[in-house]
Amino acid sequence: MKRVAILLSGGGSNMVALCRDMVGDHPCRPVLVASNDPEAGGLQRAAEMGIATAAVDHRPFGKDRAAFEAALLGPLLAAKPDILCLAGFMRVLTPAFVARFEGQMLNIHPSLLPKYPGLHTHARALAAGDTEAGCSVHEVTAVLDDGPVLGRATVPVLFGDTAETLAQRVLFKEHQLYPAVLRRFATGTKGLLEL
Ligand code: GRF
């Protein structure tokens, strides 16, 4: 069994989708859900699912990302994860942290990478007049929202879409894509998964 730790900052719907999938013959089990925000809804949801949680508030560390990460590494390394999944984790990680988990860390991003790294992806897709939007799961490298794309799911942009309606449609796909990519990643299946 591979041990999976999940980092989040928000409501944790992707975390829930991942954890619901990690049952039965799945090659992984969730061992920790950690957040930089002690109030993150995802921590509560993880606890309700019986998963160990940890909160390391980033605010006392100010701009000192390395010190925050050192604190986060405490509970994280104690959980001995084989795979680290970022699921709506809103802190930029230092190259040193990323290097430590090289080849073991995945992220989901709500755009069809390499388009729209960073924030406000849906508004940017609408402003560009794109007819398709979607989400990507990629390996995490030191460059934000970069790294090899392992899976991608597309949705149509519909007439009258707002950033909110588009985000909802994409999020639904995220919940299918991320678990599917994690399964493949854990078993070493190569190639791009397209949903
Ligand atoms: C998702 O859209 C994810 O792609 C983005 O942040 C959002 C997190 O949502 N990076 P949730 O916390 O998983 O519900």
Side-chain angles (χ1 to χ4, degrees):
M1 278 296 170
K2 297 225 157 115
R3 302 169 63 83
V4 175
I6 300 171
L7 300 184
L8 54 75
S9 303
S13 68
N14 276 290
M15 176 278 297
V16 169
L18 288 171
C19 291
R20 284 200 178 135
D21 201 49
M22 282 188 260
V23 294
D25 67 355
H26 197 290
C28 307
R29 289 292 181 269
V31 293
L32 179 72
V33 171
S35 180
N36 62 299
D37 179 358
E39 304 299 319
L43 288 177
Q44 175 84 32
R45 294 176 86 177
E48 283 165 11
M49 294 172 84
I51 301 162
T53 62
V56 178
D57 194 338
H58 68 277
R59 287 168 297 191
F61 298 98
K63 288 191 188 332
D64 193 345
R65 290 187 192 278
F68 161 68
E69 289 172 358
L72 182 63
L73 278 174
L76 195 53
L77 293 181
K80 299 189 174 24
D82 301 301
I83 299 173
L84 195 50
C85 289
L86 307 183
F89 186 63
M90 301 305 283
R91 304 303 300 167
V92 173
L93 296 167
T94 66
F97 187 96
V98 172
R100 183 161 201 143
F101 294 98
E102 195 188 344
Q104 299 173 269
M105 189 164 24
L106 302 179
N107 181 42
I108 186 150
H109 183 72
S111 79
L112 295 172
L113 290 172
K115 276 190 166 179
Y116 316 129
L119 297 175
H120 311 302
T121 53
H122 306 299
R124 289 155 70 195
L126 290 174
D130 292 355
T131 55
E132 273 193 332
C135 50
S136 311
V137 175
H138 64 97
E139 271 189 58
V140 177
T141 59
V143 181
L144 182 70
D145 298 328
D146 200 67
V149 174
L150 305 181
R152 182 182 284 132
T154 55
V155 302
V157 175
L158 301 181
F159 184 74
D161 258 340
T162 62
E164 289 72 30
T165 59
L166 184 55
Q168 254 182 13
R169 195 174 310 119
V170 171
L171 190 62
F172 181 78
K173 284 282 188 179
E174 292 182 38
H175 298 159
Q176 299 169 354
L177 182 70
Y178 210 172
V181 173
L182 175 60
R183 268 184 192 255
R184 284 163 56 99
F185 185 71
T187 53
T189 307
K190 302 276 178 221
L192 176 71
L193 176 68
E194 290 188 273
L195 295 186

